[in-house]
Amino acid sequence: MSIFERNVFINCPFDEDFYGILRPIIFTIIYAGLTPRISLESLDSGASRIDQITRLIEESKYAIHDLSRMRANAKGEYFRLNMPLELGLDLGARKFGSGKLKHKQCLILEAEPHRYKAAISDLSGSDIYHHENDPAKAVVAVRNWLRGTCGMNLPGPTLIWDSFNFFMAALYDELSSWGFSDDDIKYLPMPELIEYMISWVCSEADIGA
């Protein structure tokens, strides 16, 4: 499997409320033996955000786009359009690109069924999966998509969800013993979190072998 075929680009909100969903999504991707690619993986403040995103899209056969935070929460707020923009870039790469880009696949997530039609009616007829802002349901959606789209032999979503919670508990204990506060752990930089997830999943695989 090439690097392109292992990469999964994640397009999602980065607010604190969404982290409870983002973490298990990333864990599920790693559990499946694939590589999560997300703009937060780079801490280079000098890098152009749009250039970084287009590079990640170009390097990833698969993508997960979460549109659950498009809607403004209060009067006077603007709609959050970064996620639809990145979805459009990804779909455009598949539609107008050449070679391996023609084989790109994506999963589109929403919080509620059919709500996306009010903002992006052109997606009508597409398979949109909703997670109801429930992290466990997000794991189900991602696991089932990876199984159906990638043809991967994966265990059930309940086992993956339980494994994620075991990982988070182990990570908390380990980092606490190293002097990390609760906030330090909560806001652990994404590259570091991904490293810990990969290490934990690999160690569990070695134990089970």
Side-chain angles (χ1 to χ4, degrees), residues 115-146:
R115 187 178 64 165
Y116 67 92
K117 294 178 181 178
I120 313 178
S121 59
D122 285 348
L123 287 178
S124 297
S126 302
D127 289 328
I128 312 294
Y129 296 85
H130 62 281
H131 50 58
E132 300 176 12
N133 292 315
D134 183 335
K137 291 183 179 179
V139 169
V140 173
V142 173
R143 180 267 174 202
N144 290 346
W145 175 72
L146 290 174

Side-chain angles (χ1 to χ4, degrees), residues 29-79:
I29 292 168
I30 293 171
Y31 197 96
L34 300 175
T35 304
R37 304 300 306 275
I38 187 169
S39 60
L40 290 180
E41 71 185 38
S42 173
L43 301 179
D44 182 4
S45 299
S48 165
R49 178 71 179 270
I50 193 67
D51 287 344
Q52 183 183 24
I53 289 168
T54 53
R55 176 179 57 81
L56 293 176
I57 289 173
E58 186 178 16
E59 294 176 353
S60 305
K61 179 176 181 178
Y62 305 108
I64 296 173
H65 302 276
D66 191 289
L67 306 180
S68 62
R69 299 296 193 273
M70 285 192 302
R71 186 176 182 177
N73 292 321
K75 184 177 179 179
E77 285 187 355
Y78 288 101
F79 290 97

Side-chain angles (χ1 to χ4, degrees), residues 4 92-105:
F4 175 75
R94 176 178 173 179
K95 181 70 174 179
F96 303 111
S98 60
K100 63 185 182 182
L101 296 180
K102 291 290 187 183
H103 303 287
K104 289 172 65 64
Q105 302 283 340

Side-chain angles (χ1 to χ4, degrees), residues 10-203:
I10 303 173
N11 166 28
C12 69
F14 296 140
D15 58 82
E16 181 178 337
D17 289 341
F18 193 79
Y19 262 45
I21 298 174
L22 175 58
R23 292 188 189 100
I25 286 177
I26 292 175
F27 183 87
T28 303
I29 292 168
I30 293 171
Y31 197 96
L34 300 175
T35 304
R37 304 300 306 275
I38 187 169
S39 60
L40 290 180
E41 71 185 38
S42 173
L43 301 179
D44 182 4
S45 299
S48 165
R49 178 71 179 270
I50 193 67
D51 287 344
Q52 183 183 24
I53 289 168
T54 53
R55 176 179 57 81
L56 293 176
I57 289 173
E58 186 178 16
E59 294 176 353
S60 305
K61 179 176 181 178
Y62 305 108
I64 296 173
H65 302 276
D66 191 289
L67 306 180
S68 62
R69 299 296 193 273
M70 285 192 302
R71 186 176 182 177
N73 292 321
K75 184 177 179 179
E77 285 187 355
Y78 288 101
F79 290 97
R80 300 169 65 177
L81 299 178
N82 283 340
M83 283 71 72
L85 171 63
E86 293 173 28
L87 170 60
L89 290 171
D90 192 46
L91 294 177
R94 176 178 173 179
K95 181 70 174 179
F96 303 111
S98 60
K100 63 185 182 182
L101 296 180
K102 291 290 187 183
H103 303 287
K104 289 172 65 64
Q105 302 283 340
C106 72
L107 168 68
I108 303 175
L109 297 173
E110 241 284 27
E112 303 170 17
H114 310 300
R115 187 178 64 165
Y116 67 92
K117 294 178 181 178
I120 313 178
S121 59
D122 285 348
L123 287 178
S124 297
S126 302
D127 289 328
I128 312 294
Y129 296 85
H130 62 281
H131 50 58
E132 300 176 12
N133 292 315
D134 183 335
K137 291 183 179 179
V139 169
V140 173
V142 173
R143 180 267 174 202
N144 290 346
W145 175 72
L146 290 174
R147 176 67 178 88
T149 301
C150 308
M152 307 194 73
N153 186 21
L154 295 171
T158 298
L159 189 150
I160 297 174
W161 172 246
D162 289 345
S163 296
F164 166 73
N165 284 292
F166 287 139
F167 159 75
M168 290 300 295
L171 180 66
Y172 181 86
D173 290 343
E174 180 178 353
L175 294 184
S176 294
S177 70
W178 291 352
F180 284 71
S181 69
D182 287 357
D183 278 348
D184 292 335
I185 298 171
K186 184 176 182 180
Y187 300 110
L188 193 69
M190 188 56 63
E192 198 169 351
L193 176 64
I194 290 174
E195 286 180 12
Y196 281 120
M197 285 184 175
I198 292 172
S199 176
W200 191 88
V201 169
C202 288
S203 66

